[in-house]
């Protein structure tokens, strides 16, 4: 009888590149407000998939869209300021 074993451990046992680097984790942490705002918008939109949106749903989606735009604007402003060395435009 031959045994069937997985080769996944042998393939990934020596792959150090699988783990995110510190720079990647910092980038994710910086984008977290935008990610959370996107999740809130998706939640508000998912609620209305199987029914006609009420006025409260419309307001909830509108607020979530504004939060997404504000978070993206803040992220763009932070990254634009960080990428211009010496304050040159």
């Amino acid at each position: 009888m031959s045994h069937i074993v997985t080769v996944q451990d042998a393939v990934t046992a020596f792959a150090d590149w699988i783990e995110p680097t510190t720079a990647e984790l910092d980038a994710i942490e910086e984008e977290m407000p935008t990610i959370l705002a996107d999740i809130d918008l998706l939640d508000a939109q998912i609620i209305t998939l199987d029914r006609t949106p009420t006025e409260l749903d419309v307001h909830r989606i509108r607020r979530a869209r504004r939060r997404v735009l504000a978070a993206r604007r803040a992220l763009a402003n932070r990254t634009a300021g960080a990428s211009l060395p010496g304050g040159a435009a």
Side-chain angles (χ1 to χ4, degrees):
M1 171 181 229
S2 64
H3 296 284
I4 299 173
V5 295
T6 179
V7 293
Q8 184 70 26
D9 292 335
V11 172
T12 59
F14 303 106
D16 292 334
W17 52 268
I18 290 178
E19 295 296 321
T21 64
T22 304
E24 290 170 335
L25 291 173
D26 290 341
I28 292 170
E29 186 66 31
E30 188 173 343
E31 293 177 7
M32 191 55 69
T34 305
I35 294 168
L36 294 175
D38 283 331
I39 290 171
D40 288 341
L41 176 59
L42 284 172
D43 286 342
Q45 291 172 335
I46 288 170
I47 289 172
T48 62
L49 284 178
D50 61 346
R51 62 180 177 153
T52 304
T54 64
E55 189 173 337
L56 180 62
D57 294 330
V58 172
H59 289 293
R60 184 178 296 130
I61 291 171
R62 188 178 304 139
R63 279 193 310 270
R65 281 188 182 139
R66 284 195 301 253
R67 274 188 249 128
V68 167
L69 291 175
R72 288 181 183 172
R73 182 183 62 235
L75 178 64
N77 289 338
R78 281 194 308 268
T79 57
S83 66
L84 297 175

